[in-house]
Amino acid sequence: GLDLAHCVGTNSLGPTGPWRSGGPCKMKRVRTVFKPEQLERLEQEFLKQQYMVGTERVDLAATLHLTETQVKVWFQNRRIKWRKQSMEQKAAKLSQFRVIQPTSADSTDSKDHEEDTVDVEL
């Protein structure tokens, strides 16, 4: 939803800022706060499958009294968190091996994994 109570007034950058281009008032989106029951169900579904599409997503959204977009974005963000945790676990295992048997330090390019790092709700 949109919170219309937060309008951007005059600022030091003047009316040329990107937040002013849509009109006189910047509508700030209110962050979705999930209920514990909703989160528990979303996590259960994520354990079954990391991607939820089509009628499954529509049905889950209706069951949880959420929009389909909220469910879609929650799954996107959860996949990002899951990948990050997997990478950290792999790094921890590698560091254990390096303590036992030191090898040359390899640098990994983190940009390879940036394509799905979106934390935006529509």
Side-chain angles (χ1 to χ4, degrees), residues 7-116:
C7 289
V8 176
T10 309
N11 58 58
S12 60
L13 297 175
T16 59
W19 52 87
R20 301 284 292 170
S21 61
C25 181
K26 167 74 175 168
M27 294 182 286
K28 184 178 177 185
R29 209 192 71 65
V30 176
R31 184 173 187 223
T32 303
V33 179
F34 295 99
K35 296 176 184 172
E37 303 80 28
Q38 292 170 325
L39 288 172
E40 185 177 341
R41 177 68 190 275
L42 287 164
E43 289 287 351
Q44 287 174 356
E45 294 299 324
F46 185 81
L47 288 174
K48 294 178 194 173
Q49 56 187 12
Q50 283 77 42
Y51 290 85
M52 173 137 330
V53 294
T55 57
E56 291 176 324
R57 186 167 61 206
V58 172
D59 292 343
L60 181 61
T63 301
L64 298 177
H65 305 290
L66 298 169
T67 66
E68 186 181 352
T69 301
Q70 287 172 316
V71 173
K72 179 186 84 166
V73 172
W74 186 90
F75 268 82
Q76 288 174 339
N77 291 337
R78 186 62 181 86
R79 283 192 298 272
I80 293 165
K81 180 180 177 181
W82 179 67
R83 286 187 193 120
K84 184 178 178 184
Q85 289 171 337
S86 297
M87 299 269 289
E88 288 171 354
Q89 287 174 351
K90 287 178 185 176
K93 286 181 182 178
L94 283 174
S95 67
Q96 286 177 342
F97 288 122
R98 287 190 177 128
V99 169
I100 297 168
Q101 186 179 21
T103 60
S104 63
D106 296 330
S107 65
T108 57
D109 189 8
S110 62
K111 291 183 181 179
D112 293 343
H113 302 287
E114 288 182 3
E115 69 274 352
D116 200 15

